[in-house]
Amino acid sequence: MRCLHCGETVAQKLQFCTFCGEKRKSALIGFSSKISDPAFARYMKHANLWSFIFALVLAAVAVIGFTVAGEVDEEMQNPESLLIGVVIGSMFVGIALLQIVGRKQSKTWDGMVVDKEINCKRHKNGRAYTEYVIVVEDEYGEKYCSITRDDDTRYNYFQIGDRVRHHGGLNSYEKYDKSKDSVIFCNACGDIWDIEEEVCPRCKCPLLK
């Protein structure tokens, strides 16, 4: 294979030109095998752990807060107030558990970006916001929406017709062809970095390229 930068012949398996050091564009085409790196498993384990710990903290705050309120508020006394706190705390823990189970059960599949939308909406308080929607269709015709608010970075990164891979557990999309990109998203934490980076500086997971 010839290097597109200097024109010298380079072994096909090499990602960088041995003459000029330029990264070969063909190395940026295809789904990365780096997804099997142990760093991703560690990231998901820590993410699940912190989600559960955060839910426990919220649950404790709810129980303590309603218990105290039951002691000082004449309209809402214990044990009724304590029971409300327990119910709300249980909801926080339940939601966290459902999220963890959902991440573990999510599958890896290939698809294509089939549509993009920009929707102008308003909150209940009247404040306007912009919703950026990316529609991905899997091989079975099922459609999934990736939505961000007031941030068009991801919307501009993906184009209609792009082949993508949804990575189960991470619930993120990897683009098949990154050869024309100047940036890349971390499939773990979601931060965006220069295409020349190899590892996400924030979460230390490999960037999939």
Side-chain angles (χ1 to χ4, degrees):
M1 298 289 290
R2 288 192 175 276
C3 173
L4 298 179
H5 186 256
C6 69
E8 294 289 347
T9 301
V10 185
Q12 185 171 358
K13 64 179 180 180
L14 296 180
Q15 292 189 352
F16 293 88
C17 175
T18 52
F19 294 91
C20 68
E22 190 75 7
K23 190 176 183 69
R24 291 176 54 233
K25 291 298 185 181
S26 60
L28 294 174
I29 299 177
F31 295 123
S32 175
S33 60
K34 294 179 182 178
I35 190 63
S36 58
D37 192 288
F40 286 107
R42 289 195 297 269
Y43 177 86
M44 287 187 282
K45 182 179 179 180
H46 291 160
N48 289 336
L49 177 61
W50 281 111
S51 294
F52 188 67
I53 291 175
F54 185 64
L56 287 178
V57 171
L58 290 179
V61 170
V63 172
I64 294 172
F66 276 93
T67 301
V68 172
E71 294 296 327
V72 300
D73 194 335
E74 295 181 357
E75 296 183 1
M76 187 170 57
Q77 298 180 344
N78 289 321
E80 290 81 10
S81 182
L82 171 61
L83 180 61
I84 294 174
V86 170
V87 171
I88 294 177
S90 299
M91 289 175 58
F92 286 132
V93 175
I95 291 172
L97 289 174
L98 287 174
Q99 290 176 337
I100 292 172
V101 172
R103 283 195 289 264
K104 288 185 176 181
Q105 291 183 343
S106 64
K107 305 296 184 182
T108 295
W109 47 266
D110 292 350
M112 180 178 291
V113 177
V114 295
D115 197 11
K116 296 168 67 178
E117 301 174 3
I118 300 178
N119 301 316
C120 297
K121 296 188 175 183
R122 288 187 178 276
H123 293 284
K124 291 182 179 180
N125 60 11
R127 187 174 67 87
Y129 66 92
T130 304
E131 193 175 76
Y132 296 93
V133 184
I134 301 168
V135 183
V136 179
E137 184 176 296
D138 67 13
E139 55 189 323
Y140 302 106
E142 189 76 22
K143 292 183 178 180
Y144 303 84
C145 292
S146 176
I147 303 173
T148 55
R149 289 187 178 185
D150 295 329
D151 184 357
D152 63 356
T153 309
R154 194 175 299 273
Y155 177 89
N156 293 329
Y157 177 73
F158 290 100
Q159 303 300 321
I160 294 177
D162 281 346
R163 288 179 58 191
V164 295
R165 173 167 290 172
H166 174 269
H167 291 290
L170 297 170
N171 287 328
S172 59
Y173 294 101
E174 176 193 355
K175 188 191 291 188
Y176 180 82
D177 185 353
K178 314 170 190 75
S179 62
K180 299 180 180 64
D181 297 333
S182 60
V183 297
I184 186 170
F185 281 91
C186 173
N187 281 81
C189 68
D191 277 7
I192 187 170
W193 305 101
D194 188 277
I195 194 67
E196 298 300 325
E197 294 283 353
E198 296 295 331
V199 176
C200 174
R202 179 187 175 192
C203 70
K204 309 306 180 186
C205 287
L207 297 173
L208 300 183
K209 57 179 185 172

